[in-house]
Amino acid sequence: MILKVGITGGIGSGKSTVAKIFEVLGIPVFYADDAAKELMNKDETLKQELIKEFGNELYSNGALNRSYLSSLVFSDPKKLTLLNAIVHPVTIANAEKWMQQQTTHYAIKEAALIFESDAHKQLDKVIGVFAPTPLRLQRVRQRDNISEDAIVARMNKQMEEETKMKLCDYVITNNDLELIIPQVLKIHEALLDFII
Ligand code: ATP
Protein backbone atom coordinates (compact mmCIF):
# COMPACT_ATOMS: atom_id res chain seq x y z
CA MET A 1 0.00 0.00 0.00
CA ILE A 2 1.22 3.48 -0.83
CA LEU A 3 2.41 5.78 1.95
CA LYS A 4 0.46 9.05 1.89
CA VAL A 5 2.59 12.05 2.75
CA GLY A 6 1.52 15.67 3.23
CA ILE A 7 3.59 18.82 2.74
CA THR A 8 2.32 21.87 4.56
CA GLY A 9 3.42 25.28 5.78
CA GLY A 10 2.23 28.86 5.80
CA ILE A 11 1.88 31.14 2.81
CA GLY A 12 5.24 31.64 1.13
CA SER A 13 7.03 29.08 3.32
CA GLY A 14 8.19 27.22 0.19
CA LYS A 15 5.80 24.25 0.07
CA SER A 16 5.60 24.22 -3.73
CA THR A 17 9.35 24.68 -4.08
CA VAL A 18 9.99 21.71 -1.77
CA ALA A 19 7.28 19.63 -3.50
CA LYS A 20 8.97 20.23 -6.86
CA ILE A 21 12.22 18.75 -5.50
CA PHE A 22 10.33 15.59 -4.50
CA GLU A 23 8.91 15.52 -8.05
CA VAL A 24 12.46 15.55 -9.41
CA LEU A 25 13.05 12.42 -7.30
CA GLY A 26 10.14 10.78 -9.12
CA ILE A 27 7.55 11.26 -6.39
CA PRO A 28 4.12 12.33 -7.66
CA VAL A 29 2.62 15.44 -6.03
CA PHE A 30 -1.02 16.47 -5.69
CA TYR A 31 -1.24 20.27 -5.42
CA ALA A 32 -4.42 20.84 -3.36
CA ASP A 33 -4.80 24.49 -4.26
CA ASP A 34 -4.68 23.79 -8.00
CA ALA A 35 -7.01 20.82 -7.59
CA ALA A 36 -9.52 22.91 -5.61
CA LYS A 37 -9.53 25.56 -8.33
CA GLU A 38 -10.08 22.93 -11.01
CA LEU A 39 -12.86 21.24 -9.05
CA MET A 40 -14.60 24.60 -8.49
CA ASN A 41 -14.60 25.03 -12.26
CA LYS A 42 -15.47 21.49 -13.33
CA ASP A 43 -17.33 19.58 -10.60
CA GLU A 44 -21.02 20.27 -11.34
CA THR A 45 -22.28 19.22 -7.88
CA LEU A 46 -19.72 21.47 -6.19
CA LYS A 47 -20.54 24.34 -8.55
CA GLN A 48 -24.26 24.08 -7.73
CA GLU A 49 -23.52 24.05 -4.00
CA LEU A 50 -21.31 27.13 -4.30
CA ILE A 51 -23.94 28.96 -6.38
CA LYS A 52 -26.58 28.10 -3.75
CA GLU A 53 -24.45 29.69 -1.01
CA PHE A 54 -22.75 32.55 -2.86
CA GLY A 55 -25.07 33.38 -5.77
CA ASN A 56 -25.07 33.11 -9.55
CA GLU A 57 -22.51 35.93 -9.85
CA LEU A 58 -19.85 33.43 -8.74
CA TYR A 59 -19.64 32.08 -12.28
CA SER A 60 -19.54 33.88 -15.59
CA ASN A 61 -19.97 31.68 -18.67
CA GLY A 62 -19.42 28.62 -16.46
CA ALA A 63 -16.03 29.81 -15.21
CA LEU A 64 -15.38 30.70 -11.58
CA ASN A 65 -15.05 34.43 -10.99
CA ARG A 66 -12.12 34.18 -8.59
CA SER A 67 -11.75 37.88 -7.87
CA TYR A 68 -15.45 38.06 -6.97
CA LEU A 69 -15.08 35.05 -4.65
CA SER A 70 -11.97 36.56 -3.04
CA SER A 71 -13.79 39.84 -2.44
CA LEU A 72 -16.68 37.94 -0.81
CA VAL A 73 -14.60 35.87 1.60
CA PHE A 74 -11.69 38.23 2.24
CA SER A 75 -13.50 40.47 4.71
CA ASP A 76 -16.04 37.95 6.00
CA PRO A 77 -14.55 35.12 8.11
CA LYS A 78 -17.92 33.31 8.21
CA LYS A 79 -18.06 33.17 4.42
CA LEU A 80 -14.47 31.92 4.28
CA THR A 81 -15.29 29.16 6.79
CA LEU A 82 -18.34 28.24 4.72
CA LEU A 83 -16.32 28.18 1.49
CA ASN A 84 -13.69 25.93 3.10
CA ALA A 85 -16.38 23.67 4.57
CA ILE A 86 -17.78 23.15 1.06
CA VAL A 87 -14.55 22.91 -0.95
CA HIS A 88 -12.19 21.05 1.42
CA PRO A 89 -14.12 17.76 1.71
CA VAL A 90 -14.42 17.54 -2.10
CA THR A 91 -10.70 18.27 -2.55
CA ILE A 92 -9.75 15.79 0.19
CA ALA A 93 -11.85 13.08 -1.50
CA ASN A 94 -10.25 13.93 -4.84
CA ALA A 95 -6.75 13.69 -3.30
CA GLU A 96 -7.66 10.36 -1.74
CA LYS A 97 -8.78 9.01 -5.12
CA TRP A 98 -5.59 10.35 -6.74
CA MET A 99 -3.45 8.71 -4.01
CA GLN A 100 -5.04 5.32 -4.74
CA GLN A 101 -4.00 5.63 -8.39
CA GLN A 102 -0.30 6.19 -7.66
CA THR A 103 2.17 3.34 -8.02
CA THR A 104 5.27 4.77 -6.30
CA HIS A 105 6.30 3.82 -2.74
CA TYR A 106 4.87 7.07 -1.51
CA ALA A 107 3.01 10.07 -2.92
CA ILE A 108 2.66 13.63 -1.69
CA LYS A 109 -0.23 16.01 -1.16
CA GLU A 110 0.86 19.66 -0.93
CA ALA A 111 -1.62 21.89 0.92
CA ALA A 112 -1.50 24.98 3.14
CA LEU A 113 -4.36 23.83 5.35
CA ILE A 114 -3.69 20.19 6.20
CA PHE A 115 -4.31 20.33 9.94
CA GLU A 116 -6.93 23.09 9.73
CA SER A 117 -9.05 20.99 7.37
CA ASP A 118 -8.45 17.68 9.18
CA ALA A 119 -6.81 16.32 5.99
CA HIS A 120 -3.94 14.91 8.12
CA LYS A 121 -6.30 12.15 9.23
CA GLN A 122 -6.02 10.70 5.72
CA LEU A 123 -2.21 10.99 5.67
CA ASP A 124 0.50 8.73 7.13
CA LYS A 125 3.21 11.39 7.49
CA VAL A 126 3.30 15.18 7.26
CA ILE A 127 6.30 17.30 6.29
CA GLY A 128 6.26 20.90 7.48
CA VAL A 129 8.09 23.66 5.61
CA PHE A 130 9.21 26.45 7.87
CA ALA A 131 10.53 29.88 6.91
CA PRO A 132 10.78 32.98 9.12
CA THR A 133 7.87 35.41 8.67
CA PRO A 134 9.92 38.37 7.31
CA LEU A 135 11.40 36.09 4.63
CA ARG A 136 7.95 34.70 3.73
CA LEU A 137 6.66 38.28 3.39
CA GLN A 138 9.58 39.22 1.17
CA ARG A 139 9.25 36.13 -1.05
CA VAL A 140 5.48 36.45 -1.50
CA ARG A 141 5.75 40.18 -2.26
CA GLN A 142 8.29 39.39 -4.96
CA ARG A 143 6.23 36.48 -6.32
CA ASP A 144 2.73 37.99 -6.29
CA ASN A 145 3.36 41.73 -6.26
CA ILE A 146 0.77 42.28 -3.49
CA SER A 147 0.88 44.51 -0.43
CA GLU A 148 2.36 43.44 2.88
CA ASP A 149 -1.02 44.10 4.55
CA ALA A 150 -2.75 41.65 2.20
CA ILE A 151 -0.14 38.96 2.91
CA VAL A 152 -0.32 39.52 6.68
CA ALA A 153 -4.14 39.26 6.50
CA ARG A 154 -3.78 35.87 4.79
CA MET A 155 -1.13 34.75 7.30
CA ASN A 156 -3.45 35.65 10.15
CA LYS A 157 -6.10 33.29 8.78
CA GLN A 158 -3.70 30.33 9.01
CA MET A 159 -2.62 28.32 12.04
CA GLU A 160 0.40 29.75 13.86
CA GLU A 161 3.59 28.34 12.29
CA GLU A 162 5.28 27.08 15.46
CA THR A 163 2.12 25.19 16.43
CA LYS A 164 1.80 23.72 12.93
CA MET A 165 5.43 22.56 12.80
CA LYS A 166 5.07 20.75 16.14
CA LEU A 167 2.31 18.64 14.57
CA CYS A 168 4.53 17.58 11.65
CA ASP A 169 6.61 14.39 11.48
CA TYR A 170 9.47 16.13 9.64
CA VAL A 171 10.34 19.83 9.31
CA ILE A 172 12.28 21.43 6.47
CA THR A 173 13.81 24.80 7.31
CA ASN A 174 13.66 27.03 4.26
CA ASN A 175 15.59 30.10 5.33
CA ASP A 176 18.50 31.72 3.53
CA LEU A 177 21.05 29.70 5.54
CA GLU A 178 20.15 26.04 5.19
CA LEU A 179 20.07 24.22 1.86
CA ILE A 180 16.75 22.52 1.17
CA ILE A 181 17.89 19.75 -1.23
CA PRO A 182 19.90 17.83 1.43
CA GLN A 183 16.94 18.11 3.81
CA VAL A 184 14.58 16.71 1.15
CA LEU A 185 16.99 13.84 0.38
CA LYS A 186 17.18 12.91 4.07
CA ILE A 187 13.38 12.76 4.38
CA HIS A 188 13.08 10.87 1.07
CA GLU A 189 15.47 8.22 2.43
CA ALA A 190 13.66 8.09 5.78
CA LEU A 191 10.33 7.58 4.00
CA LEU A 192 11.75 4.82 1.80
CA ASP A 193 13.30 3.16 4.90
CA PHE A 194 9.92 3.40 6.56
CA ILE A 195 8.26 1.50 3.74
CA ILE A 196 10.83 -1.05 2.63
P1 ATP B 1 1.81 29.61 -1.13
O1 ATP B 1 1.29 29.09 0.16
O2 ATP B 1 1.56 31.05 -1.26
O3 ATP B 1 1.36 28.81 -2.31
P2 ATP B 1 4.36 28.25 -0.95
O4 ATP B 1 4.52 27.86 0.48
O5 ATP B 1 4.00 27.17 -1.91
O6 ATP B 1 3.42 29.49 -1.08
P3 ATP B 1 6.53 28.85 -2.77
O7 ATP B 1 5.63 29.34 -3.85
O8 ATP B 1 7.22 27.55 -2.93
O9 ATP B 1 5.76 28.88 -1.36
O10 ATP B 1 7.64 29.94 -2.41
C1 ATP B 1 7.29 31.31 -2.30
C2 ATP B 1 8.26 32.13 -3.15
O11 ATP B 1 9.54 32.05 -2.56
C3 ATP B 1 8.40 31.62 -4.58
O12 ATP B 1 8.55 32.69 -5.46
C4 ATP B 1 9.68 30.78 -4.52
O13 ATP B 1 10.36 30.74 -5.76
C5 ATP B 1 10.49 31.52 -3.47
N1 ATP B 1 11.36 30.62 -2.70
C6 ATP B 1 10.96 29.56 -1.98
N2 ATP B 1 12.01 28.94 -1.39
C7 ATP B 1 13.11 29.64 -1.77
C8 ATP B 1 14.50 29.52 -1.50
N3 ATP B 1 14.99 28.56 -0.71
N4 ATP B 1 15.33 30.43 -2.05
C9 ATP B 1 14.85 31.42 -2.83
N5 ATP B 1 13.54 31.59 -3.14
C10 ATP B 1 12.68 30.72 -2.61
Side-chain angles (χ1 to χ4, degrees):
M1 213 177 69
I2 192 165
L3 194 77
K4 300 172 204 166
V5 179
I7 290 185
T8 195
I11 174 173
S13 57
K15 296 177 293 298
S16 307
T17 305
V18 166
K20 280 179 200 139
I21 302 171
F22 279 97
E23 281 195 276
V24 172
L25 298 173
I27 302 303
V29 179
F30 178 95
Y31 292 91
D33 215 30
D34 295 344
K37 281 175 197 149
E38 198 177 322
L39 287 163
M40 283 193 272
N41 271 304
K42 291 190 179 155
D43 185 311
E44 281 310 319
T45 315
L46 178 61
K47 281 171 91 167
Q48 288 314 315
E49 208 173 333
L50 290 170
I51 289 170
K52 201 174 95 197
E53 294 297 344
F54 299 105
N56 280 318
E57 304 92 317
L58 201 57
Y59 289 89
S60 48
N61 298 323
L64 180 73
N65 186 340
R66 284 179 52 200
S67 53
Y68 177 70
L69 180 62
S70 302
S71 69
L72 276 184
V73 300
F74 187 74
S75 52
D76 188 336
K78 278 190 189 146
K79 284 201 173 117
L80 179 63
T81 304
L82 179 63
L83 174 71
N84 287 341
I86 296 170
V87 177
H88 283 163
V90 182
T91 312
I92 290 170
N94 188 253
E96 190 57 27
K97 199 170 138 201
W98 177 89
M99 282 282 182
Q100 304 299 342
Q101 292 163 353
Q102 304 313 308
T103 53
T104 40
H105 288 301
Y106 71 95
I108 287 176
K109 174 184 177 181
E110 185 258 31
L113 306 178
I114 280 186
F115 297 107
E116 294 91 332
S117 63
D118 265 353
H120 63 288
K121 290 180 181 164
Q122 315 260 11
L123 298 166
D124 301 302
K125 298 278 175 196
V126 179
I127 301 165
V129 181
F130 179 82
T133 303
L135 191 56
R136 289 164 62 206
L137 281 170
Q138 183 196 317
R139 285 175 176 166
V140 176
R141 281 184 71 174
Q142 269 167 9
R143 187 191 62 186
D144 298 344
N145 195 23
I146 53 173
S147 75
E148 191 164 317
D149 286 352
I151 305 165
V152 171
R154 280 211 255 159
M155 283 178 170
N156 289 341
K157 291 195 176 90
Q158 300 181 336
M159 185 190 280
E160 218 254 315
E161 283 305 274
E162 273 79 6
T163 313
K164 187 176 277 185
M165 293 303 125
K166 278 189 193 139
L167 297 171
C168 295
D169 299 285
Y170 309 98
V171 175
I172 290 177
T173 303
N174 185 21
N175 55 21
D176 276 338
L177 305 169
E178 285 163 77
L179 295 173
I180 49 177
I181 292 175
Q183 298 181 70
V184 169
L185 290 175
K186 206 169 153 194
I187 294 170
H188 177 66
E189 278 163 21
L191 289 169
L192 291 179
D193 279 351
F194 191 78
I195 303 154
I196 298 161

